[in-house]
Amino acid sequence: MRVLVVEDERLLADAIAEWLRDEAHAVDLAHDGASALERAGVNDYDVVVLDRDLPAVHGDDVCRELVAAGAAARVLMLTAAAEVTDRVAGLGLGADDYLTKPFAFPELAARVLALGRRSRPAAPPVLRRAGITLDPARREVFRDGRYVPLARKEFAVLAELLRADGAVVSAEQLLEKAWDEHADPFTGAVRLAVLKLRRKLADPPVIETVKGAGYRIP
């Protein structure tokens, strides 16, 4: 999934981003509200992890703008305020979930994953197709009962192909969902990830190349 982390405490922002990247998400960072809105206007995010207490442009205003713009991204709001009234206010602005600081990183990751599923058409928690089983929560992949160890990008690409349920996914779509904003679209990263996936999934081949269109798992 593509996630935007908006947090002005840079060490915390980096820690959140690293944890989510370890969960095979593509993560972009913004340290203020204006940058967050700029990135959200350009990129298609599944989830926005939004600190409420941002300087300059407050997190409340960022949330309002995202909702008003009709953004598909789900918003997980972070705050040091633990009062019920604060949580109610945040949810009333249009946030989809609320997490108080300090928090446990595994809980944050689980909430991001749950929100990401809600940002798209309904999909089962465990993805299955063509003998492949992918469990996003456990970060495990099996092919015909055999465990398949995958790198983060390989896992993310495979998850997108499985979520497509047999439809073609373009290289541009894979790049959008599995890489962050610093990815160079001309590096051939998608092609290389698919090549490695094919090798690790072994025979019979399961990922098809649709010339001029992209890839699919029929």
Side-chain angles (χ1 to χ4, degrees):
M1 294 189 301
R2 189 79 178 269
V3 181
L4 175 63
V5 174
V6 190
E7 170 60 64
D8 63 313
E9 296 181 34
R10 291 178 181 260
L11 289 177
L12 178 57
D14 290 343
I16 294 172
E18 186 60 29
W19 189 278
L20 293 176
R21 286 170 182 147
D22 284 342
E23 297 291 315
H25 302 306
V27 183
D28 294 334
L29 285 174
H31 300 296
D32 59 74
S35 298
L37 291 172
E38 181 181 350
R39 284 173 170 78
V42 174
N43 300 308
D44 181 21
Y45 294 105
D46 296 292
V47 178
V48 177
V49 178
L50 176 64
D51 180 29
R52 189 176 186 187
D53 304 308
L54 292 171
V57 180
H58 196 272
D60 288 359
D61 296 319
V62 174
C63 189
R64 286 192 191 96
E65 288 288 333
L66 291 174
V67 172
R74 301 291 182 170
V75 177
L76 172 58
M77 191 169 277
L78 304 178
T79 183
E83 296 296 326
V84 172
T85 53
D86 293 302
R87 295 198 296 272
V88 170
L91 295 170
L93 293 168
D96 298 279
D97 199 0
Y98 207 95
L99 192 59
T100 57
K101 300 177 182 178
F103 51 81
F105 285 105
E107 181 181 3
L108 181 141
R111 288 174 182 258
V112 167
L113 184 60
L115 289 175
R117 287 200 296 265
R118 289 165 52 191
S119 72
R120 308 176 178 203
V126 176
L127 303 170
R128 294 183 174 89
R129 191 173 187 85
I132 298 170
T133 301
L134 183 147
D135 187 334
R138 295 177 179 273
R139 285 247 17 243
E140 291 180 341
V141 173
F142 292 87
R143 172 84 190 272
D144 296 326
R146 175 182 60 88
Y147 176 68
V148 182
L150 297 180
R152 289 185 296 184
K153 295 305 181 189
E154 296 160 7
F155 187 94
V157 167
L158 181 60
E160 292 301 320
L161 292 173
L162 290 172
R163 287 190 182 103
D165 198 25
V168 176
V169 184
S170 70
E172 291 77 14
Q173 289 172 307
L174 292 172
L175 194 68
E176 170 73 23
K177 292 299 183 182
W179 279 263
D180 61 27
E181 63 185 355
H182 301 295
D184 184 346
F186 302 106
T187 60
V190 172
R191 182 182 59 81
L192 182 58
V194 170
L195 181 66
K196 290 181 177 179
L197 261 178
R198 284 175 170 149
R199 186 181 303 128
K200 290 183 178 182
L201 291 171
D203 291 329
V206 68
I207 301 175
E208 289 186 356
T209 299
V210 182
K211 191 173 181 180
Y215 306 93
R216 69 176 178 182
I217 298 178

